[in-house]
Structure formats: C-alpha cells, structure tokens
Amino acid sequence: MIETKTMMTRVFAFIRMFCIILSIIATFFLIPIGTAFFLGENIAIKPFLIPLVCMWIPGVVLYYAGKRLKVKMGTREVFVFVSFAWVAISVFGALPLYIGGWVSNFTDAVFEGVSGFTTTGATIITDLEIIPRSVNLWRMEMHWLGGMGIIALTTAILPLLGIGGFNLVKAESTGPEKGKITPKMANTAKALWTIYFVLTALETVILMFCGMDFVDALGHAFSTLGTGGFSSRNASVGGFENLSVEIVCTVFMFLAGVNFSLYFYLLTGKFEEIKNNSELKAYVSIFVIVILCLTLTLVKYYGGFGTALRYASFQAASIMSTTGFGTADFTQWPPAAQFFIFMLFFIGGCSGSTSGGFKVIRWVILSKKAKTEMLRMLHPHGVFSVRVDGAGGRNDLVLNIAAFIYVYLLLAFITTFVGTVGGLDVFQSFTASLSMLGSIGPAFGPFSEYSWIPGFVKWWYCFVMIAGRLEIYNLVILFTRAFWKK
C-alpha cells in the first residue's frame, strides 16, 4: 500500500512538472501574440492563444495543488524526465505552426519545433518572408529558450518545485563536466539566465542602431545568443545586405560560444578563473586561425582581402558556434575553404555555452592526453597526468570523452545510413548527420531548407537533434537494456 502511494506521488510529481514547464513555454507565446496584435497580424493570434489557454489552466492548478510536495528523483527518473520533457516541449512549441497552417503537416511542424528548441536551425519552410513576422519571431524565440535550457529556466523561475534542481539541470547541460557557480542550483540558473538576458537585450539594441527594426533585431538576437540560426529572411542574415549587422552577429555568435560561467566570473572579479581556462584559450585560437586560413583561401575568390575577411569571419563564427546563419553559400567556395568549414563541423563551441557540437574542451583534453602518451614513450618510468585549468589527475575525463566520441560517431554513421536510404548521397548524408547531432543546421548539399527530405528521415532527424542537444547519453541510455534493469 505504501509503495503504491509512493508510486502515485511520483507519477503526480512528473505530470505536475511537465505541465508547469509547458505552462512556462506557453507564457512565452505572449511575445508573438503581442507582436501580432501590434503589427495587425490577427491571423497569427488564435494559433498561439488556443494552446496557451489550454496549457495555463492545468499548469496553474497543478502548481498550487502540489506546492507542498517534496519528491527526490533517482538517476533513472532524471534521465526519463528530462528526455520526455524535451520531446513534449518541442511538440508543444510546434502546435501554433501546425494550427495556423504555416507548415503543411504535423511531421514538418514537429521537425520545425525540435529544430527550434534544440537550436539546430534546420527549417522546412520554403519561403520565410510570406509568413507573419510574429510567427518568425516565435521560431527564433524557440532558439533562445532552448539555448540556455528549459529545465534551467524552470529551476531559475520556480526553485521550490519540490524536486532537486541540480541533477535535472546537469542532465540538460553541455560538456563533459557540469557544476555550479553558486552554492544553490537555483541561484546558478538565475545568474546564467540574467547574463543571457542582458546579452540578448544588448544585441537587440545594437542591431536596431545598425538599421534593423525592433522585431527583426529581437528575433535575430534570440537566434544569435541561442546559437540557432532561424531567420526572417530566406537568405538568412545575408538577406539584409548590411555589413554592420553581419559584424554584430559575428561578435555575438562568438560570445555565445563561450562558457557562460566565465561571464559570471568576469562580473564577480574572478579573473584567475578566466585566465586559467584552457578551453577559452583554445576556442579563441581555433577561431582566429580558421578565420585567417579561410580568408587566405577566399582572397582570389572574392577579389580582395577585406571582402574575403568579411565572409570568412561570419561563416567561421556561424559554424563553430553552431548557429548556422549564412551570408554566403560555402558549398560554392574553393575546396580548400570548404575543408576548413567541414573541419568546424567536428569542433563546436565551449562547454557551458549555448553551442552544440563536440565542444572544444574535449579536444583540449584529448590533445593533452596525446602529449602525455608521447612523453611516456620517451620516459617509460615517468608519471604523467592530464592537467585541465591547472588541476592534475584528470585521466578519468579521457575515458569519458573517448566513450562519448565513440557513441557520437556511431550515431552519426547510423544517421548517415538513414539519410542514404532517404535518397541522399553519402557525403551529403554524413554532413547532415553531423549537422543534426551538432545542432548546426546547414550542411554540404541542397540544405537551405529540409522540406524535401522524406518523412521517416525527418522523424529520425528529430530524434538525433534531441539526442545531440542532451549530449547523446541522456536520451540514448533510455534504449539500453541496462537502464531498465532494477
């Protein structure tokens, strides 16, 4: 009897948390609703208003109904909750697109929603400029919400839900190591979201000074800081034909790829934490070197160093931060330039950022391990340790990273096969798989939009996008026999 009551309490806690999280997402529908109202886009109000009201009612009721409820989630329950929460969020966020008829079918709507919240930025909409601006704003807003993390947002807004926030946020966070920058997870989430909000507001204001109106400026700030890539123009940022806009987006894409904890340390005067951060040093070095190499390979193509630098820096920032904006078609660039873009598909931004991909810290640690192995060959009796940010004894991370890369590449190869079954050639399918896993968006091939992809491939890509956003393990582990054993 006691076990049955405990089980019912846990089920209630799960349902309550799901409804509260979806209610928070529904609350953000107010931004496109308000935009539609002021722009006179009355056709866009109802598709957002219906799911908003339908979700608010159970969300508010269940929040107060279980306010005194205290439930401690186990490891398995955390994985299940976070994975299913991301699926539910993506489907719910897609409902306005489907209800309003801006996508042709439910499969396409879910693909757009998953791509939005996972910050992949791969769209199935063939003509962005004919749909209401408020709808495009919501598409870009999904990036912003998913970039820093929905669970982290919930923990920041409602820290007293009766469920431990650290394990939930840890399961959603990116990078091989997850930690707190303040003693309480709720305060950490608040600090990171505050920094995120300030950077978004700052970019919005600057983009307005550069010539964008408020709606486009806010939307592209959402996409940039969320490292997503959705735009209101068919030609992406390049459609504005504005150099100053491109420069601003380049800078903020770079900033979004930095670990947000470092901004907190900067504001609190912990400069040693920044100075000793090996990932940041590697991130900046890779960024500068790739831009220089790209520029040199594009000088002849564009007929001048300045123009080559313009396109090289923007596209390097876009792919490395996994934002996916475009100002040029890199598939038409010389092979040497394409090589550097392809290389960035394997790197990504920093851990603790809104970027996807492998993450720079993993390559830093593997390079350090390679160095220690070569030293061990020269000095067989020596004792060598991988040091990260001044701390030694981090050999445990090497095994963690090796296993991660194995699973990452295995899923990439499986996804490549699925793509070839859907009619893509091998290279197109491989780069598309890296794009989906790394939340990048564009790929080598006709991928300016994904509407032409077969339905079963879209559903598989949805799974892969969520797996990539949750660092693969957190979702894939649900499909292992060991996970369900008691």
Side-chain angles (χ1 to χ4, degrees):
M1 185 70 179
I2 296 176
E3 288 185 5
T4 303
K5 186 176 180 181
T6 302
M7 179 60 68
M8 291 178 64
T9 301
R10 289 182 176 278
V11 170
F12 174 77
F14 266 57
I15 295 173
R16 176 173 176 263
M17 277 292 291
F18 272 123
C19 289
I20 289 172
I21 289 174
L22 292 179
S23 296
I24 291 173
I25 298 300
T27 301
F28 282 93
F29 284 173
L30 292 174
I31 294 178
I33 288 174
T35 303
F37 176 78
F38 284 109
L39 295 179
E41 298 175 338
N42 296 330
I43 192 175
I45 295 177
K46 188 176 179 181
F48 287 98
L49 192 60
I50 291 173
L52 183 151
V53 174
C54 291
M55 202 64 250
W56 259 1
I57 295 172
V60 172
V61 170
L62 289 175
Y63 172 71
Y64 286 103
K67 202 167 184 180
R68 296 183 179 180
L69 185 67
K70 298 293 180 183
V71 177
K72 186 176 181 180
M73 282 189 179
T75 303
R76 288 183 175 87
E77 292 169 311
V78 166
F79 287 132
V80 171
F81 179 81
V82 172
S83 297
F84 278 82
W86 269 84
V87 172
I89 288 163
S90 300
V91 174
F92 183 72
L95 288 180
L97 303 177
Y98 182 65
I99 294 171
W102 295 296
V103 291
S104 58
N105 55 67
F106 186 68
T107 296
D108 284 355
V110 173
F111 183 92
E112 195 79 5
V114 172
S115 181
F117 279 108
T118 59
T119 73
T120 305
T123 185
I124 49 79
I125 299 176
T126 55
D127 191 349
L128 297 170
E129 296 175 22
I130 65 172
I131 66 176
R133 298 184 70 199
S134 54
V135 176
N136 271 325
L137 182 62
W138 169 245
R139 292 173 61 251
M140 294 184 276
E141 188 182 355
M142 285 192 286
H143 286 328
W144 190 74
L145 292 169
M148 186 59 69
I150 306 299
I151 309 299
L153 174 62
T154 304
T155 304
I157 297 175
L158 304 170
L160 301 177
L161 288 177
I163 297 177
F166 178 62
N167 288 331
L168 288 172
V169 175
K170 187 171 69 170
E172 183 186 53
S173 303
T174 61
E177 287 192 300
K178 287 91 173 180
K180 306 175 186 178
I181 56 175
T182 63
K184 292 185 177 180
M185 193 65 237
N187 292 336
T188 296
K190 285 178 183 178
L192 295 178
W193 267 94
T194 299
I195 294 168
Y196 193 45
F197 179 84
V198 170
L199 286 173
T200 305
L202 180 62
E203 185 184 0
T204 301
V205 172
I206 296 174
L207 286 175
M208 290 176 68
F209 274 112
C210 293
M212 278 188 174
D213 64 24
F214 175 71
V215 175
D216 273 335
L218 178 62
H220 285 81
F222 282 156
S223 278
T224 305
L225 269 301
T227 62
F230 280 161
S231 178
S232 59
R233 299 292 178 92
N234 293 327
S236 189
V237 174
F240 291 95
E241 298 182 349
N242 188 320
L243 176 59
S244 58
V245 166
E246 293 173 24
I247 293 173
V248 171
C249 287
T250 300
V251 171
F252 278 90
M253 283 190 289
F254 170 81
L255 294 176
V258 174
N259 189 328
F260 274 71
S261 297
L262 298 183
Y263 296 128
F264 178 82
Y265 295 140
L266 178 65
L267 294 173
T268 53
K270 298 180 180 179
F271 302 118
E272 283 298 314
E273 296 282 354
I274 302 172
K275 181 181 177 181
N276 295 329
N277 192 274
S278 53
E279 183 180 35
L280 179 63
K281 295 174 185 175
Y283 176 69
V284 174
S285 299
I286 294 170
F287 187 72
V288 172
I289 291 171
V290 169
I291 287 177
L292 179 60
C293 292
L294 270 176
T295 301
L296 293 176
T297 58
L298 290 172
V299 168
K300 186 176 180 181
Y301 182 82
Y302 283 111
F305 184 86
T307 305
L309 177 62
R310 171 183 179 178
Y311 291 107
S313 57
F314 185 94
Q315 213 58 58
S318 178
I319 300 300
M320 188 168 180
S321 68
T322 71
T323 304
F325 279 150
T327 55
D329 183 0
F330 59 77
T331 63
Q332 301 301 313
W333 284 355
Q338 291 186 41
F339 165 78
F340 290 108
I341 293 295
F342 179 64
M343 184 183 70
L344 294 179
F345 274 63
F346 292 90
I347 297 176
C350 299
S351 60
S353 69
T354 59
S355 298
F358 276 66
K359 300 296 183 300
V360 173
I361 187 61
R362 290 190 170 98
W363 295 120
V364 170
I365 292 172
L366 289 180
S367 65
K368 288 177 180 288
K369 179 60 176 176
K371 181 180 178 180
T372 61
E373 289 302 311
M374 286 186 282
L375 288 173
R376 186 174 284 110
M377 291 176 66
L378 294 172
H379 308 283
H381 301 292
V383 178
F384 304 98
S385 174
V386 174
R387 302 182 66 83
V388 180
D389 300 341
R394 303 318 313 269
N395 289 314
D396 60 313
L397 285 178
V398 176
L399 296 177
N400 175 293
I401 292 167
F404 174 84
I405 291 179
Y406 166 76
V407 177
Y408 194 101
L409 291 178
L410 178 63
L411 188 53
F413 290 138
I414 294 172
T415 304
T416 300
F417 171 72
V418 173
T420 57
V421 173
L424 302 176
D425 70 38
V426 175
F427 184 65
Q428 287 177 352
S429 186
F430 181 58
T431 58
S433 71
L434 293 175
S435 182
M436 297 298 106
L437 267 173
S439 305
I440 298 170
F444 286 81
F447 294 109
S448 58
E449 48 86 17
Y450 286 72
S451 64
W452 55 279
I453 300 294
F456 75 92
V457 178
K458 290 175 184 172
W459 281 109
W460 178 257
Y461 280 176
C462 286
F463 168 78
V464 172
M465 284 189 282
I466 294 176
R469 175 59 183 82
L470 297 180
E471 296 269 279
I472 302 179
Y473 286 137
N474 297 336
L475 182 62
V476 173
I477 197 174
L478 301 184
F479 298 90
T480 63
R481 183 182 299 177
F483 179 83
W484 299 103
K485 285 184 179 180
K486 291 185 178 180

